[in-house]
Amino acid sequence: MNVNRFKELIDICEKTGEPLDKVVLHWEMLDSGLSPEKVVKKTEVLFDVMKESYEENRGKNLKTLVGLTGDNAKKMLDYLPFAFTGERVFQAVTIAVTIAESNASMKRIVACPTGGASGVVPGVLLTLEKYGTKREKLISSLIVAGAIGKVISLHASLSGAQHGCQAEIGSGTAMAAGAAVYAMDGTPQQVADAAALSLKSLMGLVCDPVGGFVEVPCVKRNAAGAALALLFADMARAGVKSVVPFDEVVDAMAKVGRMMPESLRETGKGGIADTPTAKNIVDVFSRKFKI
Amino acid sequence: MLSILEIIGPTMIGPSSSHTLGAMRISRFSYNLINGIPSRVTFYLHGSFQDTYIGHGTWLALLAGVCGLRTDDPKVAKADEVAEELGLEYEYRPIDLGDVHPNTVKISTEKNGIHHEVIGSSIGGGRIRINSVDSVECDLDGEYPTLIVENQDVPGALESIISVLSFYGVNIAKMQLKRESVYLRKASAMIELDSSISQEILERIRKMDVVNSALYVNSIMEE
């Protein structure tokens, strides 16, 4: 089974009638030699760590390495009952920021797909769980998210240093949106549509962290990712299709990534990192800690 | 090929797979090379590692690796305290290693008066490339248990080393060979294995006439 495109997974589902997560597990077995049982078990562990990361750091003022963020998730949790966007979206965004701030504070997280974008997928999955999705379904959705990320890694990249933030938050959002569709009993095609809509909306997003550190704007982009993922999951479930199929969007993202100048690929030299405020922050910090 | 478990994972200590996880895996390689915690270690930081080693927690991750901590151990964030308890002396120095990956570190360790040196790069997503071990150039990802042999550049040298491995039923996954010096008749072999080997096998290889020296590094990957 020489699969490397998402369309091929959808075709197999349609021909065999097998659910998408089972097809992904077979792909994984043939590819990496791991049995489906083992992959499911390890995925469960990853899901549990995501949950722990949130529960242990929920509502806390966190001390991040550079100190540019750390108390935002707490503010958001306090504001949750008043959220105009609604409890579900704001809940997802709050979880995403909690985990992203935990990551910036050297806490244990799941790099799904990277440390910088680690809040998006748990933000969506843990919100789905809170509103009734069963654990088993969430695990199979996380496996589907893995397939979305794997296709991206095969044809583009998941690294901000390589293809900018579109490769990190963009990929995380595509994975979370696809997982959400799957958790809502959507079809494999709807999974692909939600992933495509996500990646298209974040196409060209640059990786421009202040000082190169995973704090500003990384943490808040996790919020954007979680909110967009739920939005596109609903749109795909409503029947909205991506005109350009997911696999082609991935190729387009890779092309955009290759065109991106180095200053916008995690070097801390362009974009937000190149503002007077950012430069000042870095100056003060590096005077304090220079070898 | 990359497993989906490497996409939706792994679990790690933040903030950055290349600046913490990758850095820690390189120093874990050093730890595995000397098979324990050194008494002294110097981290020579190149490029981006030099610029951002505090703000990314790279200094703690490097320290945690040579202390033998797991990559998802919450104690990584307090590796300086762990090192202090262990009585490990450590320091960080800037270095220019030339045309290498921006996230590169040279780790120089001392244990029982014996020095070892590893140069490694964190190449993204927590993946690493070990560029040299004790000045022998290589290209390793640390995934496989690895035997690093400096041998005499004579006919049959490699065959006799491999025959020891095959005698013990150890399968070779990958191998890199290099001629170090025609004049000194020195060659090196990096032999990546499918299973770890015992001290007994290592000693047997070390005692061979054609072998000048042999180092062994267990896999840095964790279950």
Side-chain angles (χ1 to χ4, degrees), chain A residues 28 31 103 108-109 111 212 291, chain B residues 1 3 9 12 15 53 56 72:
Chain A
E28 180 68 12
D31 234 26
N103 176 61
R108 188 160 80 130
I109 53 94
I291 32 172
Chain B
M1 191 172 279
S3 156
M12 60 169 244
Y53 79 115
H56 270 130
D72 63 352

Side-chain angles (χ1 to χ4, degrees), chain B residues 3-69:
Chain B
S3 156
I4 61 163
L5 294 168
E6 281 287 308
I7 307 278
I8 54 176
T11 59
M12 60 169 244
I13 302 302
S16 155
S17 52
S18 50
H19 290 85
T20 45
L21 179 61
M24 191 165 166
R25 282 177 171 168
I26 299 169
S27 66
R28 179 63 190 229
F29 187 93
S30 271
Y31 171 89
N32 286 2
L33 174 69
I34 62 175
N35 203 11
I37 300 155
S39 49
R40 261 192 78 76
V41 58
T42 307
F43 301 103
Y44 295 92
L45 306 168
H46 169 91
S48 164
F49 268 3
Q50 191 184 121
D51 296 334
T52 64
Y53 79 115
I54 296 277
H56 270 130
T58 308
W59 69 288
L60 291 167
L62 287 169
L63 208 46
V66 286
C67 290
L69 297 182

